[in-house]
Amino acid sequence: MNIQPLLIIAAAILVATFCAPGPVLADRIVIAHRGASGYLPEHSLAAKAAAHAMGADYIEQDLVMTRDDRIVVLHDLHLDRVTDVAAVFPARRRPDGRYYVIDFDLAELKQLRLTEGVKRVEDRETAIYPRRFPPWLSTFRISTLEEEIELIQGMNHSTGKTVGIYPEIKAPWFHRHAGKDISPAVLTILKRYGYTRRDDRIYLQCFDPRALRRLRTELLPAMGMDLKLVQLIAETRWGLTLVMEDGQAVPYDYDWMKRPAAMAEIARYADGVGPWMNMLVNPDSLPGQPQISDLAAAAQAAGLAVHPYTFRLDSGRIPPYAADFEDLLSIFFFQVGVDGVFTDFPDRAVRFLQSHPQRR
Ligand code: CA
């Protein structure tokens, strides 16, 4: 039998596959939110190692600056929720009752125990997520950005994987108010560890559009760097980003980001957006009938990747319109069409995508 016709048919199929009209979907990605934080204390190196082993594509770092200008991986500007700071440094409490990362040197922070998140009502302390890793069990420590990058790059070397990093600069306005410029300090570390180009395995995220514009137009070019930037989108009422107006600190108004022309504007300085999941699907949607907003489609039409937050399978965290965690992922990946998800349970999202390879 002459195999030439078969080869021609095979070649034709290949050509048709690669030249088919329509958008080519990039790989969907799983971002381990604060590490595999559904299983181990958020931002512990253990949670990061677990996320790497679970097959996450990117691992997230929230970044805050210390008094001695080091960059540590912590979600909050305060230490209260995830450390024993009140027991170790009781006198360092501010008048508002909180302990601030920025009031401590790295050597002091290294003395603290890091724990799964706790909340205190009067003198009673309880786990925020009762089904997760128990508070105060075992021993975990706060890490610097350098320590965490070395863990991920070391595991990339030992496993042959290319897991990326997804750092978030927390509250540049707060650091600036304390006399610190966190953005260039973060870039210096990223550059030292080889993250300098748009196609490197990194997304740099921030809630503050002013900080992102400054990164794109000033700081990155000045350092000979060009990284992918992600505009996180908050609800104005959360008060995550503050601006000074008439001498008063007021919440930055995010409402413009929900208007039709906003995505084209964001695409001038960013490569992706990180919206709250409820901005993409109405949380009051009926079961099986997700009401999908225009935001994801508008972002993608402007060339932006869409990485919503945060997918959790704890009790009460799956919206009523989804039957379960996998159904929720299915709605977001295949009906909304997102490019990636932030999740505390990266193993479940990785397994979900692996079980739908033809759509990944
Ligand atoms: Ca974050």
Side-chain angles (χ1 to χ4, degrees):
M1 178 185 166
N2 187 348
I3 61 163
Q4 211 164 3
L6 286 178
L7 282 175
I8 291 168
I9 291 167
I13 291 171
L14 270 176
V15 168
T17 304
F18 288 107
C19 300
V24 178
L25 279 179
D27 271 3
R28 317 286 184 122
I29 61 168
V30 174
I31 306 147
H33 181 248
R34 311 180 198 173
S37 55
Y39 304 100
L40 282 152
E42 67 179 49
H43 288 319
S44 64
L45 287 184
K48 305 308 170 84
H52 196 289
M54 287 172 177
D57 300 291
Y58 287 82
I59 299 175
E60 192 204 23
Q61 301 78 32
D62 291 308
L63 303 177
V64 183
M65 209 165 192
T66 68
R67 184 169 66 180
D68 55 345
D69 297 340
R70 299 296 300 273
I71 303 292
V72 289
V73 184
L74 282 169
H75 178 268
D76 302 349
L77 300 173
H78 314 110
L79 291 157
D80 316 43
R81 182 175 59 89
V82 293
T83 76
D84 59 350
V85 64
V88 180
F89 297 106
R92 304 281 286 278
R93 190 167 52 189
R94 283 197 193 182
D96 65 1
R98 311 298 300 272
Y99 297 83
Y100 286 74
V101 178
I102 208 163
D103 292 341
F104 293 83
D105 291 339
L106 178 62
E108 294 171 328
L109 296 175
K110 285 287 187 184
Q111 298 172 39
L112 303 180
R113 289 181 70 193
L114 186 68
T115 176
E116 175 62 28
V118 292
K119 61 183 173 195
R120 294 175 191 88
V121 180
E122 287 157 8
D123 273 345
R124 242 176 67 80
E125 186 183 277
T126 52
I128 292 170
Y129 294 106
R131 300 286 299 274
R132 295 192 178 187
F133 196 90
W136 306 115
L137 210 57
S138 191
T139 304
F140 304 96
R141 300 285 174 198
I142 294 171
S143 304
T144 62
L145 174 58
E146 294 94 317
E147 287 167 330
E148 177 156 338
I149 291 174
E150 288 178 9
L151 176 92
I152 293 168
Q153 293 190 345
M155 286 189 76
N156 282 345
H157 180 80
S158 61
T159 63
K161 293 183 190 173
T162 55
V163 175
I165 63 173
Y166 210 125
E168 178 186 347
I169 299 175
K170 297 305 267 193
W173 59 271
F174 172 86
H175 288 90
R176 178 58 65 89
H177 188 68
K180 297 192 182 296
D181 197 358
I182 184 172
S183 297
V186 168
L187 291 189
T188 299
I189 296 169
L190 297 177
K191 185 173 185 178
R192 194 187 314 147
Y193 283 93
Y195 301 99
T196 57
R197 298 170 352 152
R198 197 75 75 111
D199 58 359
D200 284 334
R201 295 280 285 170
I202 178 172
Y203 286 92
L204 181 57
Q205 47 168 341
C206 192
F207 272 107
D208 191 334
R210 298 159 306 175
L212 288 168
R213 284 197 193 94
R214 178 174 173 238
L215 282 163
R216 178 60 77 216
T217 60
E218 293 174 36
L219 299 179
L220 286 167
M223 292 185 64
M225 301 168 73
D226 184 20
L227 302 177
K228 294 186 289 296
L229 301 179
V230 171
Q231 172 71 65
L232 299 170
I233 308 178
E235 294 288 352
T236 303
R237 65 175 186 274
W238 298 345
L240 279 184
T241 304
L242 298 186
V243 290
M244 295 301 285
E245 266 179 25
D246 304 327
Q248 286 279 92
V250 298
Y252 177 85
D253 190 343
Y254 280 94
D255 291 353
W256 71 269
M257 291 190 194
K258 295 178 183 173
R259 290 199 276 274
M263 294 302 140
E265 173 57 32
I266 292 172
R268 291 160 64 93
Y269 60 86
D271 306 274
V273 288
W276 185 29
M277 58 194 296
N278 287 0
M279 296 170 182
L280 301 185
V281 177
N282 181 346
D284 299 325
S285 299
L286 295 173
Q289 300 172 42
Q291 296 170 34
I292 299 169
S293 78
D294 297 334
L295 199 157
Q300 289 167 337
L304 295 164
V306 180
H307 299 161
Y309 59 90
T310 303
F311 290 74
R312 299 182 165 115
L313 51 80
D314 308 271
S315 164
R317 295 301 182 130
I318 295 170
Y321 60 78
D324 55 25
F325 190 68
E326 279 66 31
D327 187 39
L328 183 64
L329 290 173
S330 176
I331 290 166
F332 274 81
F333 275 121
F334 304 138
Q335 294 187 52
V336 182
V338 302
D339 303 282
V341 292
F342 283 94
T343 178
D344 295 357
F345 300 86
D347 57 333
R348 297 281 289 261
V350 167
R351 205 181 313 148
F352 175 83
L353 288 177
Q354 284 171 345
S355 65
H356 297 82
Q358 76 284 9
R359 306 180 76 172
R360 180 166 190 174

